[in-house]
């Protein structure tokens, strides 16, 4: 009787261990399927690619007065994917969570003024660069800030998860040394610029393309001032999962085609007034 109970308990424990092991194995293969495998078959099955965007990021991806999503990257993504027989479905996301959204399979690409840098290369596979930008300081003329050294002790704003903020927080960054404090973080640039205009900030660290477009569409563009930083040039790329080699190759081919046939310059003229840079 006692021996029977012991065997019964052993059997329960054994079965429990088997279930745990199977669950771990299943989780492992699920993780691999999402993060490591080439998803080209799934993408081509419904001909749709889900693209994560910050839909307040002018002029790359934003809402017009009617609420329609437009922008340089929106038009470029549609034109490029059309070259390979795919459609773009845009999914607004929290920009600070963009890599997580990609890893978990909620989106297939990050295509929205996404700067290529060493930190991000550890997490995603980038396309070839297709556009170049730089980081600038936007301030109001009444702040009397004319050069970077004037930012000493000032309140600086930046977007959470932005390449500018990442550079600013790097050890030894010269602008960080001048300001002398952490940047105040915002989930979108427009909120930071609103705070700038009402005096809650002295300046905003921001992409030059965004700054130029935003200021040009304000009621009083002359009230703003743009100051160059020493951060260097940013190169934009499309971010994909590291396992998606086929999709990455196809996107690179499509980007080369829209450059060759002049499509990318037409889109650039539409939003920047110049050929693509």
């Amino acid at each position: 009787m006692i021996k029977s109970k012991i065997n019964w308990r052993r059997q329960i424990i054994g079965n429990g261990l088997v279930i745990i092991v199977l669950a771990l194995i299943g989780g492992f293969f699920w993780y691999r399927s999402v993060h490591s495998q080439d998803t080209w078959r799934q993408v081509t099955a419904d001909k749709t690619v889900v693209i994560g965007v910050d839909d307040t990021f002018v002029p790359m991806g934003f809402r017009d007065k009617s609420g329609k999503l437009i922008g340089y990257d929106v038009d470029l993504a549609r034109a490029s994917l059309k070259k390979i027989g795919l459609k773009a479905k845009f999914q607004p996301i929290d920009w600070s969570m963009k890599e997580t959204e990609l890893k978990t399979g909620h989106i297939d690409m990050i295509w929205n003024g996404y700067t290529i840098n060493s930190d991000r290369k550890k997490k995603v596979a980038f396309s070839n660069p297709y556009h170049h930008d730089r980081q600038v300081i936007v301030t109001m003329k009444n702040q009397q800030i004319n050069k970077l050294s004037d930012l000493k002790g000032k309140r600086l704003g930046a977007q959470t998860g932005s390449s500018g903020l990442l550079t600013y927080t790097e050890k030894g960054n010269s602008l960080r040394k001048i300001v002398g404090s952490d940047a105040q973080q915002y989930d979108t640039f427009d909120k930071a610029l609103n705070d700038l205009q009402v005096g809650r900030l002295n300046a905003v660290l921001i992409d030059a393309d965004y700054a130029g477009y935003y200021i040009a569409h304000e009621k009083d563009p002359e009230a703003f001032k743009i100051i160059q930083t020493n951060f260097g040039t940013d190169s934009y790329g499309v971010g994909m999962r590291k396992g998606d080699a086929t999709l990455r190759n196809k996107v690179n081919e499509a980007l080369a085609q829209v450059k060759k046939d002049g499509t990318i310059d037409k889109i650039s003229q539409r939003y920047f007034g110049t050929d693509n840079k």
Side-chain angles (χ1 to χ4, degrees), residues 167-170 172-183 231:
T167 303
Y168 181 81
T169 56
E170 287 177 352
N173 180 266
S174 58
L175 180 60
R176 173 67 173 76
K177 287 182 178 179
I178 292 171
V179 177
S181 62
D182 293 335
F231 283 16

Side-chain angles (χ1 to χ4, degrees), residues 257-276:
Q257 290 177 42
V258 296
K259 181 178 181 180
K260 185 177 181 180
D261 66 16
T263 300
I264 197 168
D265 284 333
K266 291 178 182 177
I267 295 172
S268 184
Q269 284 286 348
R270 189 178 305 150
Y271 293 100
F272 303 120
T274 62
D275 286 350
N276 190 59

